[in-house]
């Protein structure tokens, strides 16, 4: 787990590494939306790992460290994807 700026939540959020993400997702079942109880165990596992009480499953789905890029050289916010050519925050190009 690592705290990282999330551009979707617009704040520092606990992000899961790949192993933790897999662990949490193993509680989410096979993706039947609206199955509240299944999401509850997923959210409980997210809380166990991060110590952060999250109530929205959609938030947990995008809190995966490997989905984000390196910190922007200009503003320090993580790039929105590892392949980003442009910083989504300050719109400066990413030097290659
Ligand atoms: Zn987020
Ligand atoms: Zn930037």
């Amino acid at each position: 787990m690592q705290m990282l700026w999330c551009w979707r939540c617009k704040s520092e959020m606990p992000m899961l590494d790949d192993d933790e993400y897999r662990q949490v997702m193993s509680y989410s079942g096979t993706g039947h939306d609206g199955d509240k109880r299944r999401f509850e165990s997923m959210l409980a596992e997210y809380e166990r790992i991060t110590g952060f009480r999250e109530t929205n499953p959609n938030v947990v789905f995008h809190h995966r460290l490997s989905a984000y890029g390196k910190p922007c050289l200009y503003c320090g916010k993580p790039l929105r994807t590892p392949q980003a050519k442009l910083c989504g925050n300050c719109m400066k190009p990413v030097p290659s």
Side-chain angles (χ1 to χ4, degrees):
M1 194 273 278
Q2 192 188 317
M3 294 301 287
L4 195 72
W5 173 264
C6 175
W7 58 273
R8 288 190 177 96
C9 300
K10 297 188 171 53
S11 60
E12 289 247 322
M13 298 298 279
M15 300 281 176
L16 303 168
D17 66 32
D18 279 349
D19 284 343
E20 291 165 340
Y21 190 83
R22 256 194 300 273
Q23 168 76 10
V24 170
M25 287 307 135
S26 70
Y27 287 86
S28 72
T30 45
H32 291 284
D33 286 340
D35 189 342
K36 202 159 169 282
R37 202 181 280 155
R38 198 143 44 186
F39 282 141
E40 273 167 16
S41 43
M42 185 189 86
L43 291 167
E45 183 65 6
Y46 181 77
E47 183 177 7
R48 192 184 67 76
I49 292 173
T50 64
F52 190 87
R53 180 108 187 91
E54 183 53 68
T55 53
N56 182 354
N58 293 322
V59 168
V60 174
F61 286 131
H62 73 253
H63 285 172
R64 182 180 196 167
L65 269 177
S66 59
Y68 294 77
K70 291 179 300 207
C72 171
L73 281 178
Y74 301 96
C75 68
K77 297 280 197 291
L79 299 172
R80 291 184 178 188
T81 71
Q83 296 82 29
K85 303 264 188 290
L86 201 70
C87 172
N89 183 58
C90 67
M91 305 314 275
K92 294 250 183 25
V94 177
S96 47

